[in-house]
C-alpha cells in the first residue's frame, strides 16, 4: 500500500504540533495535526462527528486537521440529484443508484456530487471553528485550495483554480477535490488529493458531477513515486504556516460573535 509502514495502525503516528502566532495581535489558537494512516470511511466520519461535538461543548479546544487514507469508497453530498453515481455507458439509460459500483457508497453532509476515495489518495479533514475565521466559508474554501496549490508547487506541479469549479486542477485535469460540511460554524470533511495509485474507480461515476473530466495524480503528472505519508508531512508544515492567514484578530471575532 502507499501510506507507509504505519498506515494500517488506526491512530498511529501523531504529527501534532502547535502553531506559533505571527504577531501578538493575532494569537491564533493551536492547530493539532494527526496522521491516522489508512482508516475505513465510516470510522473516520464518526471520529469527525465526535471532535465537532466536543468543540461545540468547549470552544477553547484547538482546531484539528486529520490526515489519512481510506479503504475504497464512494461518497456523495447532500443533493437530491444522484445522477453523478451513474457514469454514462456503465449502466442502462434511466438507471440510477449504486448497485453497479464496485465499492460502498456513503451519503454525507457535505456539498457536491459523487467522488471516489481510496488508497493512494491523501484525505484532509480540517475541523476548524470558523467563528475564529470571520465566519467566512468562501475564504475557508479558498484557503483549502491555496494550501493544495502551494503544496503541489513544492513538487513542481503547476496547479490552479478553475472559475466556478471548486477544487484544484492541472490545466484541465482534476488533481484534488474539495467538499466541506459545516455544523454550527465548525467545519468537517475537506479535501482529497490524488497522490498515486489506481484512478480507474473514478470511471464508474461522473466525478463531482462534471462530465468528461480527466482525473490525474501527482504520480501521473510527474512520473515519480510518492507515498501518501510523505505528502502528509509536507501538508502538515504548510498548514501550520498558513493557518494564521485564515484567522481574524480577536476584536474582529468579538464583533462577529
Amino acid at each position: 500500500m502507499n501510506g507507509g509502514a504505519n498506515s494500517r495502525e488506526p491512530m498511529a503516528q501523531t504529527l501534532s504540533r502547535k502553531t506559533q502566532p505571527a504577531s501578538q495581535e493575532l494569537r491564533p489558537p493551536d492547530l493539532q495535526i494527526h496522521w491516522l494512516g489508512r482508516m475505513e470511511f465510516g470510522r473516520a466520519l464518526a471520529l469527525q462527528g465526535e471532535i465537532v461535538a466536543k468543540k461545540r461543548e468547549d470552544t477553547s479546544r484547538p482546531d484539528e486537521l486529520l490526515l489519512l487514507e481510506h479503504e475504497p469508497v464512494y461518497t456523495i453530498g447532500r443533493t437530491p440529484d444522484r445522477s453523478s453515481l451513474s457514469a454514462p455507458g456503465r449502466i442502462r439509460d434511466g438507471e440510477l443508484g449504486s448497485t453497479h459500483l464496485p465499492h460502498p457508497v456513503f451519503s454525507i453532509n457535505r456539498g457536491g456530487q459523487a467522488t471516489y476515495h481510496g488508497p493512494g489518495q491523501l484525505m484532509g479533514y480540517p475541523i476548524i471553528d470558523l467563528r475564529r475565521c470571520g465566519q467566512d466559508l468562501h475564504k475557508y474554501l479558498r484557503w483549502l485550495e491555496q494550501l493544495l496549490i502551494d503544496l503541489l508547487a513544492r513538487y513542481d506541479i503547476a496547479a490552479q483554480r478553475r472559475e466556478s469549479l471548486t477544487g484544484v486542477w492541472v490545466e484541465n485535469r482534476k488533481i484534488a477535490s474539495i467538499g466541506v460540511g459545516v455544523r454550527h460554524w465548525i467545519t468537517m470533511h475537506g479535501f482529497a488529493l490524488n497522490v498515486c495509485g489506481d484512478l480507474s474507480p473514478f470511471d464508474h461515476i461522473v466525478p463531482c458531477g462534471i462530465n468528461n473530466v480527466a482525473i490525474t495524480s501527482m504520480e501521473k503528472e510527474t512520473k515519480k513515486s510518492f507515498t501518501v505519508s510523505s505528502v502528509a508531512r509536507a501538508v502538515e508544515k504548510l498548514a501550520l504556516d498558513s493557518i494564521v492567514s485564515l484567522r481574524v484578530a480577536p476584536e474582529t471575532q468579538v464583533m462577529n460573535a
Side-chain angles (χ1 to χ4, degrees):
M1 66 82 54
N2 299 309
N6 293 326
S7 60
R8 286 191 178 275
E9 296 178 18
M11 293 292 289
Q13 179 181 359
T14 298
L15 300 176
S16 178
R17 293 192 180 93
K18 296 182 178 181
T19 53
Q20 296 298 321
S23 69
Q24 193 63 30
E25 288 74 27
L26 284 176
R27 296 189 300 275
D30 293 344
L31 176 67
Q32 296 184 349
I33 303 181
H34 312 282
W35 167 245
L36 304 181
R38 194 186 293 189
M39 181 180 287
E40 189 270 334
F41 183 84
R43 187 176 174 205
L45 184 63
L47 178 59
Q48 290 183 77
E50 291 171 10
I51 298 172
V52 168
K54 289 177 181 177
K55 285 180 68 64
R56 282 191 62 194
E57 294 174 1
D58 180 1
T59 58
S60 68
R61 286 180 64 91
D63 292 331
E64 300 189 38
L65 170 59
L66 309 180
L67 298 173
L68 62 152
E69 282 183 285
H70 282 313
E71 301 292 347
V73 67
Y74 294 97
T75 69
I76 188 167
R78 48 180 184 270
T79 172
D81 177 11
R82 299 174 66 85
S83 59
S84 59
L85 288 172
S86 307
R90 286 281 179 176
I91 59 176
R92 293 191 297 272
D93 288 345
E95 277 189 327
L96 295 176
S98 58
T99 56
H100 68 291
L101 294 176
H103 305 298
V105 177
F106 281 78
S107 297
I108 57 175
N109 66 321
R110 62 159 172 81
Q113 290 283 348
T115 194
Y116 165 77
H117 304 310
Q121 189 181 71
L122 175 62
M123 302 301 302
Y125 293 144
I127 303 176
I128 292 177
D129 190 339
L130 291 183
R131 289 170 295 185
R132 298 169 177 167
C133 308
Q135 293 178 280
D136 190 336
L137 182 57
H138 178 80
K139 180 182 178 182
Y140 171 65
L141 290 171
R142 302 293 81 79
W143 178 77
L144 282 179
E145 289 173 341
Q146 193 61 50
L147 176 69
L148 296 172
I149 290 169
D150 292 345
L151 170 76
L152 291 165
R154 294 191 169 200
Y155 297 91
D156 298 320
I157 300 172
Q160 61 194 7
R161 299 179 178 89
R162 289 184 67 183
E163 187 174 356
S164 76
L165 294 173
T166 300
V168 177
W169 305 74
V170 180
E171 296 178 351
N172 65 340
R173 302 178 295 279
K174 193 166 193 180
I175 196 168
S177 299
I178 293 174
V180 303
V182 180
R183 295 179 181 174
H184 303 277
W185 291 107
I186 300 170
T187 67
M188 58 187 300
H189 306 300
F191 66 81
L193 172 65
N194 301 326
V195 175
C196 54
D198 183 16
L199 299 176
S200 65
F202 284 101
D203 296 339
H204 293 265
I205 59 173
V206 181
C208 303
I210 305 171
N211 287 311
N212 302 315
V213 65
I215 302 296
T216 192
S217 67
M218 295 174 63
E219 181 180 69
K220 194 171 181 179
E221 291 297 321
T222 64
K223 306 298 188 292
K224 297 178 181 178
S225 297
F226 301 96
T227 63
V228 174
S229 58
S230 67
V231 176
R233 287 192 291 271
V235 170
E236 177 206 12
K237 185 178 188 310
L238 280 174
L240 291 173
D241 289 343
S242 69
I243 190 66
V244 172
S245 67
L246 187 62
R247 308 293 192 200
V248 294
E251 55 268 25
T252 307
Q253 293 181 30
V254 172
M255 290 174 60
N256 290 335

